[in-house]
Amino acid sequence: MHNYKLIIDFFGQYTDHYVELLDFENKKLKYIISNDVKELSNCLGKEQALIMKGKNLEVKRIELLKKEGFADSSFGEMIQSAPDEYKDKLQSVFSDLSKYVLEVKRINDEAMNVVRVKLNSIENKLSHNSGEIYNDKGGRNHTAMSVSMTKNV
């Protein structure tokens, strides 16, 4: 007999992780958009902790589903095979988890696009640089180094 209560509880915890991850990704996106390098740098430790927690949850998910006899089953198949008393709750947990996973992916993709645009802007500015660089006093220094050389550095 499958322990559906244990499965539901676990996926509730997994969903909670994605809620926490979504909150973090939204903050990170805000820092990226506002060019807040200091805050972005400060959140790296939190990001590493969330990544490790996610990896641990994934290992536990695989072990749990294997133990419960669902190692080769999709979530939909698990819902279909569940007794009626668990189907609605399993469907709800699956829907919530899917929603948060997709939203984390969307926010992450948006952050990557913002970073890509910012990097392209920097590359364009560098390629149009006339070789003038400002010193620490705000004065112009002329350099013989070509832009193509700076791109290779």
Side-chain angles (χ1 to χ4, degrees):
M1 181 75 177
H2 303 295
N3 189 342
Y4 289 100
K5 181 169 177 9
L6 184 65
I7 293 169
I8 291 166
D9 289 345
F10 172 79
F11 279 101
Q13 292 171 16
Y14 210 23
T15 300
D16 290 345
H17 169 69
Y18 273 92
V19 169
E20 183 180 8
L21 186 59
L22 178 59
D23 180 58
F24 172 81
E25 290 294 336
N26 277 312
K27 287 177 185 172
K28 188 170 81 170
L29 177 60
K30 182 183 84 171
Y31 299 146
I32 290 169
I33 290 171
S34 65
N35 292 323
D36 193 339
V37 177
K38 182 180 177 187
E39 284 299 323
L40 196 55
S41 179
N42 288 340
C43 72
L44 289 177
K46 173 77 172 176
E47 185 171 37
Q48 289 298 319
L50 287 169
I51 289 169
M52 290 303 296
K53 184 178 178 182
K55 287 180 179 181
N56 288 336
L57 284 168
E58 184 61 14
V59 167
K60 287 179 182 179
R61 181 192 70 82
I62 291 167
E63 289 172 358
L64 174 64
L65 293 179
K66 185 176 182 179
K67 178 182 153 211
E68 293 299 322
F70 293 114
D72 298 322
S73 301
S74 69
F75 211 109
E77 292 168 337
M78 184 171 53
I79 293 169
Q80 285 178 346
S81 70
D84 289 342
E85 63 189 281
Y86 294 108
K87 285 184 180 187
D88 287 343
K89 187 60 180 168
L90 283 167
Q91 184 61 52
S92 175
V93 168
F94 176 71
S95 295
D96 287 347
L97 180 59
S98 296
K99 176 179 71 174
Y100 287 112
V101 167
L102 289 173
E103 187 62 12
V104 165
K105 183 183 179 333
R106 187 191 68 76
I107 295 294
N108 198 341
D109 289 347
E110 186 176 340
M112 291 297 292
N113 286 332
V114 170
V115 169
R116 196 172 294 116
V117 167
K118 288 178 182 274
L119 286 174
N120 284 337
S121 174
I122 291 168
E123 285 180 1
N124 285 336
K125 287 176 183 174
L126 285 174
S127 69
H128 292 97
N129 186 351
S130 64
E132 296 180 82
I133 298 176
Y134 293 90
N135 63 25
D136 60 348
K137 296 181 177 34
R140 290 183 181 177
N141 287 340
H142 296 284
T143 179
M145 186 183 298
S146 72
V147 173
S148 64
M149 283 182 64
T150 62
K151 284 186 178 180
N152 293 330
V153 173

